[in-house]
């Protein structure tokens, strides 16, 4: 019997896969536990439409990430931190502070987990910060650390 998997199953396959299973295994294990459905023409067509929709959404997300990366390349974020004696900075600038400053100054909301700092920004000056917007798209953002 041909089965379309509705969820990932370790020994059978991934969600959306079309597998061949014995009739007894399908009727007594797969179908009652809602792991999969029988591969009828209607279910196959639904699977095809669902995969096409997922591909379309993935393409749109990639295009949106590329557009955001292009806009971030020209932007600059200024972060101010306190300075102590001899002009040395207190603490460092975190990705959370960079995300908050980017939202405040440029109106672009970034996830702090996507900001990849090479090392802690403990000194004043300009830094290039890498931002992973999508598995295939990286952007560079210029961060200026100034004295408050």
């Amino acid at each position: 019997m041909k089965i379309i998997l509705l969820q990932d199953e370790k020994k059978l396959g991934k969600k959306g896969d079309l597998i061949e299973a014995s009739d007894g295994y399908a009727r007594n294990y797969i179908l009652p536990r809602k792991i999969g459905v029988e591969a009828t023409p209607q279910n196959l067509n639904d699977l095809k439409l669902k995969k096409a929709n997922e591909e379309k959404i993935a393409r749109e997300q990639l295009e949106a990430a590329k557009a955001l990366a292009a806009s971030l390349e020209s932007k600059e974020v200024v972060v101010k931190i306190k300075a102590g004696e001899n002009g040395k900075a207190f603490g460092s600038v975190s990705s959370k502070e960079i995300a908050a400053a980017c939202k405040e100054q440029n109106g672009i909301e970034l996830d702090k987990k996507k900001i990849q700092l090479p090392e802690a920004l403990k000194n004043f000056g300009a830094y290039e910060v890498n931002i992973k917007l999508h598995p295939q798209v990286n952007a560079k953002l210029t961060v200026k650390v100034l004295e408050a």
Side-chain angles (χ1 to χ4, degrees), residues 2-9 12-20 36-37 47 51:
K2 291 195 183 269
I3 301 289
I4 299 171
L5 293 178
L6 297 176
Q7 62 191 35
D8 291 351
E9 189 68 22
L12 297 175
K14 299 223 179 260
K15 179 180 178 180
D17 285 352
L18 185 64
I19 62 165
E20 184 70 40
V37 293
L47 174 67
K51 282 188 177 183

Side-chain angles (χ1 to χ4, degrees), residues 49-61:
L49 292 173
K50 197 178 289 184
K51 282 188 177 183
N53 189 31
E54 288 172 1
E55 288 175 10
K56 179 184 172 204
I57 290 172
R59 259 195 322 273
E60 289 173 354
Q61 288 175 344

Side-chain angles (χ1 to χ4, degrees), residues 26-64:
R27 283 194 192 98
N28 295 320
Y29 183 78
I30 296 174
L31 297 177
R33 287 181 174 77
K34 307 261 190 270
I35 296 170
V37 293
E38 192 173 347
T40 62
Q42 181 181 358
N43 288 341
L44 286 170
N45 190 34
D46 290 346
L47 174 67
K48 184 178 173 184
L49 292 173
K50 197 178 289 184
K51 282 188 177 183
N53 189 31
E54 288 172 1
E55 288 175 10
K56 179 184 172 204
I57 290 172
R59 259 195 322 273
E60 289 173 354
Q61 288 175 344
L62 178 63
E63 293 301 319

Side-chain angles (χ1 to χ4, degrees), residues 2 15 20-21 24 44 47 60 68 71 77 83 85 91 122 136 139 143-144:
K2 291 195 183 269
K15 179 180 178 180
E20 184 70 40
L44 286 170
L47 174 67
E60 289 173 354
L68 182 59
S71 71
V77 175
E85 299 171 15
K122 294 183 179 182
Q136 300 169 355
V143 177
K144 283 192 175 178

Side-chain angles (χ1 to χ4, degrees), residues 43-142:
N43 288 341
L44 286 170
N45 190 34
D46 290 346
L47 174 67
K48 184 178 173 184
L49 292 173
K50 197 178 289 184
K51 282 188 177 183
N53 189 31
E54 288 172 1
E55 288 175 10
K56 179 184 172 204
I57 290 172
R59 259 195 322 273
E60 289 173 354
Q61 288 175 344
L62 178 63
E63 293 301 319
K66 285 181 180 177
L68 182 59
S71 71
L72 280 176
E73 296 288 336
S74 62
K75 303 273 191 226
E76 184 177 277
V77 175
V78 177
V79 180
K80 295 184 178 181
I81 58 174
K82 291 183 180 178
E85 299 171 15
N86 304 329
K88 196 167 185 184
F90 274 151
S92 64
V93 178
S94 68
S95 58
K96 182 178 178 182
E97 292 169 330
I98 293 172
C102 189
K103 182 177 180 184
E104 180 184 311
Q105 295 170 15
N106 298 323
I108 299 173
E109 203 163 324
L110 294 174
D111 186 6
K112 68 179 183 177
K113 295 174 189 164
K114 295 184 180 195
I115 299 173
Q116 300 172 329
L117 296 173
E119 74 273 337
L121 306 181
K122 294 183 179 182
N123 298 318
F124 300 114
Y127 296 92
E128 287 276 317
V129 176
N130 194 27
I131 301 172
K132 191 168 180 84
L133 299 172
H134 188 271
Q136 300 169 355
V137 180
N138 287 333
K140 296 251 187 240
L141 178 67
T142 304

